Amino acid sequence: MTVEQDNPGKRVLLAKPRGYCAGVDRAVETVEKALERYGAPVYVRKEIVHNKHVVRTLTERGAIFVEETEEVPEGAHVVFSAHGVSPAVRESANERGLRAIDATCPLVTKVHQEAKRFARDDYDILLIGHHGHEEVEGTSGEAPENVQLVDTEEDVASVEVRDPSKVVWLSQTTLSVDETMRRVDALRERFPELSDPPSDDICYATQNRQVAVKTMAPECDLVIVVGSGNSSNSVRLVEVALDAGARTAHRVDHAGELDETWLEGMRTVGVTSGASVPELLVEEVLRYLAERGWADVSEVTTANEKITFALPRELRKNLGGARE
Ligand code: SF4
């Protein structure tokens, strides 16, 4: 079915900030610089960031993505992804003589440090996050004896601690802020002395993208979130949009996944993208919409992000201090 071209009032609200965060930018650049510096192939453990387009583009340039360091030939370069790794993975890479370049986002590293510190003080650590996500596997691996993952309401009900006066919650960096606080409230009902993390674990980029989508969602008939299905922060943006009042919301990897029937009867379409999404994928979505009458685009800006991270130390050393 073709959508009418002359539907009056058709407009697009475009969230800002959206797309690449500082940690993703740095991780992608890390692989690019490693390829320039050492030549192909450069191995990457897990998806460098959770975006299919990024992984495909880097693969075309000579990156080889593997699940575990055991798949990397001895002595080769291996990049650890933005989501971080456990100490066991570092040790295994070291034992096999791999030349590791660590692209773990510094804000994930911060959560690792918190886990280590609370484990040293013998706290039980309740890590709010998603089962099976690489980031929580890495963070849990810092203190496996002390960390328990809390994902679902059932986990909140079943988790047990040794001493209710020495328990702290930490979280994955890419969760829904509101959903996480609901989990914390429920945990606190069970453990009134539950300690908070020393600073927000949900990162600035996740929070900013959620605030932007929340601001525009009440005005939107439809919100389109560009991002991959395994990207936690992208999936959360769909939930946040619906929670904040968007009539409907869909996630697509790219414009080719848009369904014309979603636009039937719609006027205001919101567009945003997850923290691992290159802007060109958003531009394709905007082009698709413009061709169907949604050419009027207004940006809804809730923050201007200026943050950048220096490249991993292994590359700074070799590239003469780039981006120091
Ligand atoms: Fe780092 Fe946040 Fe980006 Fe993840 S989403 S890479 S924690 S800045």
Side-chain angles (χ1 to χ4, degrees):
M1 179 168 201
T2 313
V3 174
E4 282 181 33
Q5 299 288 311
D6 56 356
N7 183 7
K10 284 178 176 178
R11 61 174 185 154
V12 173
L13 298 180
L14 180 59
K16 184 181 173 194
R18 63 182 175 278
Y20 268 22
C21 60
V24 164
D25 199 29
R26 170 184 186 261
V28 173
E29 196 182 347
T30 296
V31 180
E32 290 170 347
K33 293 278 187 229
L35 283 165
E36 266 171 41
R37 171 88 192 173
Y38 307 115
V42 163
Y43 291 82
V44 183
R45 183 185 177 277
K46 309 278 187 190
E47 292 190 350
I48 184 72
V49 298
H50 286 155
N51 185 265
K52 285 186 194 164
H53 174 90
V54 170
V55 169
R56 192 171 53 244
T57 307
L58 292 172
T59 302
E60 284 162 7
R61 294 181 61 181
I64 296 180
F65 290 88
V66 296
E67 279 303 299
E68 291 304 337
T69 46
E70 286 69 28
E71 299 165 55
V72 181
E74 288 195 14
H77 286 95
V78 62
V79 179
F80 294 144
S81 79
H83 308 102
V85 294
S86 68
V89 171
R90 285 180 207 285
E91 275 160 36
S92 143
N94 202 20
E95 278 164 16
R96 303 196 50 248
L98 304 184
R99 287 183 280 177
I101 303 165
D102 189 358
T104 304
C105 176
L107 300 180
V108 173
T109 303
K110 186 199 80 160
V111 184
H112 283 223
Q113 302 299 356
E114 289 170 358
K116 281 197 279 194
R117 189 189 116 199
F118 283 107
R120 247 191 334 263
D121 294 342
D122 204 28
Y123 273 73
D124 276 302
I125 300 165
L126 305 180
L127 177 63
I128 302 175
H130 295 302
H131 279 293
H133 192 281
E134 287 138 56
E135 183 187 319
V136 294
E137 286 173 2
T139 308
S140 306
E142 292 287 359
E145 306 295 320
N146 296 63
V147 174
Q148 297 181 73
L149 186 63
V150 175
D151 186 348
T152 60
E153 283 175 22
E154 289 73 41
D155 294 338
V156 172
S158 64
V159 75
E160 293 297 341
V161 301
R162 294 163 301 160
D163 175 356
S165 71
K166 274 191 100 171
V167 52
V168 63
W169 69 274
L170 302 179
S171 87
Q172 189 178 325
T173 56
T174 50
L175 302 181
S176 149
V177 175
D178 297 336
E179 182 69 22
T180 302
M181 291 324 291
R182 282 195 282 272
R183 287 277 178 281
V184 172
D185 289 345
L187 283 170
R188 191 158 277 132
E189 274 183 28
R190 288 203 56 207
F191 310 115
E193 293 177 78
L194 180 70
S195 300
D196 295 317
S199 60
D200 286 352
D201 288 342
I202 298 179
C203 75
Y204 81 97
T206 299
Q207 297 199 31
N208 285 348
R209 278 148 195 70
Q210 288 174 17
V211 169
V213 89
K214 255 187 190 174
T215 305
M216 72 180 190
E219 291 187 55
C220 294
D221 300 309
L222 163 69
V223 169
I224 298 167
V225 176
V226 188
S228 291
N230 60 347
S231 160
S232 171
N233 79 88
S234 302
V235 175
R236 300 291 84 73
L237 286 173
V238 174
E239 296 165 0
V240 170
L242 291 170
D243 261 10
R247 270 172 59 202
T248 55
H250 295 283
R251 182 198 56 75
V252 292
D253 245 300
H254 51 80
E257 291 183 358
L258 289 165
D259 182 336
E260 211 146 346
T261 61
W262 296 344
L263 296 170
E264 286 167 20
M266 301 293 173
R267 291 197 169 182
T268 302
V269 178
V271 176
T272 187
S273 57
S276 47
V277 178
E279 185 63 7
L280 74 94
L281 298 179
V282 174
E283 286 163 8
E284 282 171 15
V285 167
L286 293 177
R287 231 180 347 263
Y288 176 103
L289 291 171
E291 283 163 6
R292 285 154 182 82
W294 280 267
D296 169 12
V297 180
S298 316
E299 224 163 26
V300 176
T301 305
T302 50
N304 285 302
E305 295 178 344
K306 303 238 176 340
I307 189 163
T308 58
F309 296 131
L311 282 170
R313 132 179 91 72
E314 301 86 351
L315 281 174
R316 295 207 303 268
K317 209 163 50 196
N318 290 329
L319 291 171
R323 292 186 73 189
E324 282 273 29

